[in-house]
Amino acid sequence: MNKRKHPSQKRSIQTVQSILETARSILKSDGPLKFNTNSIAKKAGLSVGSIYQYFQSKEKIIETLIEKEVKNALEQFEINVSSLVDLGIEDRVNKLLHQISNLMEESEYLLQAHRLFKLSDAVNLNQIFHQKISRVSVPILGRSEEHT
């Protein structure tokens, strides 16, 4: 997480969490075009200077948010998909497609922000999603025997 100041005390950790939660809220409700440090500061009840103590730019906030949110979303996706293993192939396929659709829908605000701000290639969301979905899905779909 390329931040300026590393939060070590409880209050500074809470400040960073507040910045990220507010950033998520703004991206989800208002979209990436209205996303800026002023709107984050106002909604979080912080000064813009407080934000810049921890993040160099709004792009760094988005990169950090993407790292955190994508990690959590993909972990939950893997848990959800692993529960499909004992279903018949038709149910596995249908439920897997449903899980992929949910994952992409829940992550759409991050994908939009990533595209709009043309974030570094270090965070290639399409590749990250593709690799994880493939890695998790292939074993689930590979079971050919039917369960009744």
Side-chain angles (χ1 to χ4, degrees), residues 71-122:
K71 179 180 180 273
N72 291 340
L74 291 175
E75 284 173 359
Q76 188 60 52
F77 172 76
E78 187 166 7
I79 290 167
N80 293 346
V81 169
S82 69
S83 71
L84 306 178
V85 71
D86 291 327
L87 299 176
I89 188 68
E90 187 175 322
D91 286 338
R92 271 186 272 154
V93 170
N94 287 333
K95 291 183 187 262
L96 177 62
L97 292 173
H98 180 72
Q99 290 297 326
I100 292 170
S101 176
N102 284 347
L103 173 65
M104 300 313 291
E105 185 178 317
E106 291 169 6
S107 302
E108 181 59 31
Y109 74 102
L110 296 171
L111 294 165
Q112 288 177 358
H114 187 267
R115 284 189 295 267
L116 181 67
F117 293 110
K118 297 180 175 127
L119 299 177
S120 70
D121 289 335

Side-chain angles (χ1 to χ4, degrees), residues 1-16:
M1 288 191 247
N2 193 357
K3 292 182 282 205
R4 289 184 174 200
K5 180 177 167 183
H6 181 73
S8 57
Q9 296 180 344
K10 185 178 179 179
R11 189 168 142 234
S12 60
I13 291 169
Q14 289 172 338
T15 298
V16 169

Side-chain angles (χ1 to χ4, degrees), residues 21-84:
E21 288 169 11
T22 303
R24 178 189 319 104
S25 173
I26 291 169
L27 284 171
K28 280 184 156 185
S29 64
D30 302 336
L33 292 175
K34 295 187 178 178
F35 181 83
N36 58 59
T37 53
N38 287 329
S39 63
I40 295 169
K42 183 176 180 181
K43 193 168 183 178
L46 300 169
S47 69
V48 174
S50 292
I51 293 171
Y52 284 116
Q53 284 182 351
Y54 301 100
F55 298 96
Q56 296 171 350
S57 63
K58 66 182 176 185
E59 290 81 8
K60 294 298 179 191
I61 296 170
I62 292 172
E63 284 180 8
T64 303
L65 186 62
I66 286 173
E67 286 175 22
K68 180 181 174 190
E69 294 291 304
V70 167
K71 179 180 180 273
N72 291 340
L74 291 175
E75 284 173 359
Q76 188 60 52
F77 172 76
E78 187 166 7
I79 290 167
N80 293 346
V81 169
S82 69
S83 71
L84 306 178

Side-chain angles (χ1 to χ4, degrees), residues 103-148:
L103 173 65
M104 300 313 291
E105 185 178 317
E106 291 169 6
S107 302
E108 181 59 31
Y109 74 102
L110 296 171
L111 294 165
Q112 288 177 358
H114 187 267
R115 284 189 295 267
L116 181 67
F117 293 110
K118 297 180 175 127
L119 299 177
S120 70
D121 289 335
V123 181
N124 184 337
L125 286 183
N126 291 331
Q127 182 179 14
I128 291 168
F129 279 112
H130 180 267
Q131 287 175 345
K132 183 67 163 195
I133 289 169
S134 295
R135 187 182 69 72
V136 170
S137 300
V138 167
I140 295 297
L141 295 175
R143 296 200 52 207
S144 60
E145 67 273 6
E146 286 290 323
H147 292 32
T148 55

